Amino acid sequence: MIGILDYGIGNVGAFLKIYKSLNIEAIPIKFKEDFKIVNKIILPGVGSHDSAMQMLNDSGLRNELDINVKEKFMPLLGVCIGMHMLGRSSDEGVEPGLGYIDGITKKFTITPNSKIKCLPHMGWNDISDHKNDLIWKNIDLMEGFYFLHSYHFSAYNSDDILATSNYGSEFVCAIKNNNIYGFQFHPEKSLSNGIKLLGNFASF
């Protein structure tokens, strides 16, 4: 059973709809008791880092999330801001992150000499996988995924980098540490590739 963390932010319904189309059981996690009936968790996120962290901390779900991810090693998949929340902190605010993966979130830098001319980075990009992982099964990396962001995750440990993409320069678009995944792109908006990725996460 897949649990979509419903803490007042993120398009929970889009994930539930995809899993329904795949005939995979999924529920929104609204109460701490819901953690008892799921075996994998998705942490969606939109908006800003601080507002997302504040809403998660105020939701009553934070402690149970920490227990299930850090102590019970339940698989977790963070998306967009949900990926940023996995680190220590973000340039986008002052709230501490979850600290599940060693790294911080930084803003893309636009300078007169940079190849980045505007933010946010929006649209489809291909990706380059750095690790052979079951999450990429049957996925066309050259077709890529849909991105919408102005910040990117900076992993302190290169072993945590699962894939990169390029917007002016190379940036980390996927991370993994043991039971924890983070994706900068939006699988729920990435058509067949996104559907396959979410199905892969449910299958192992």
Side-chain angles (χ1 to χ4, degrees), residues 79-80 83-84 108 119-128 136 140-153 163-167 169-175 182-191 193 197:
V79 173
C80 198
M83 173 182 176
H84 299 171
F108 282 115
L119 292 174
H121 167 219
M122 179 171 62
W124 288 79
N125 252 23
D126 61 341
I127 69 171
S128 299
W136 305 129
D140 183 352
L141 298 179
M142 293 305 296
E143 179 181 321
F145 294 88
Y146 182 82
F147 290 81
L148 178 58
H149 63 119
S150 299
Y151 296 79
H152 61 96
F153 194 92
T164 57
S165 188
N166 193 292
Y167 185 60
S169 61
E170 186 179 66
F171 69 92
V172 174
C173 68
I175 51 178
F183 297 100
Q184 182 62 69
F185 50 79
H186 286 272
E188 79 281 12
K189 297 180 180 180
S190 297
L191 304 178
N193 263 358
L197 184 144

Side-chain angles (χ1 to χ4, degrees), residues 29-87:
I29 297 176
K30 296 184 177 181
F31 308 100
K32 62 180 183 179
E33 292 79 13
D34 295 332
F35 285 96
K36 297 177 181 178
I37 57 175
V38 303
N39 57 16
K40 292 180 180 177
I41 305 166
I42 291 178
L43 173 62
V46 295
S48 69
H49 172 85
D50 276 11
S51 64
M53 282 304 309
Q54 288 166 2
M55 292 187 75
L56 176 58
N57 290 334
D58 292 343
S59 68
L61 300 173
R62 169 67 189 274
N63 186 60
E64 203 66 27
L65 177 66
D66 286 344
I67 291 171
N68 278 273
V69 173
K70 295 168 67 177
E71 298 180 17
K72 298 182 179 180
F73 299 101
M74 188 178 292
L76 172 71
L77 188 160
V79 173
C80 198
I81 300 297
M83 173 182 176
H84 299 171
M85 295 163 70
L86 300 177

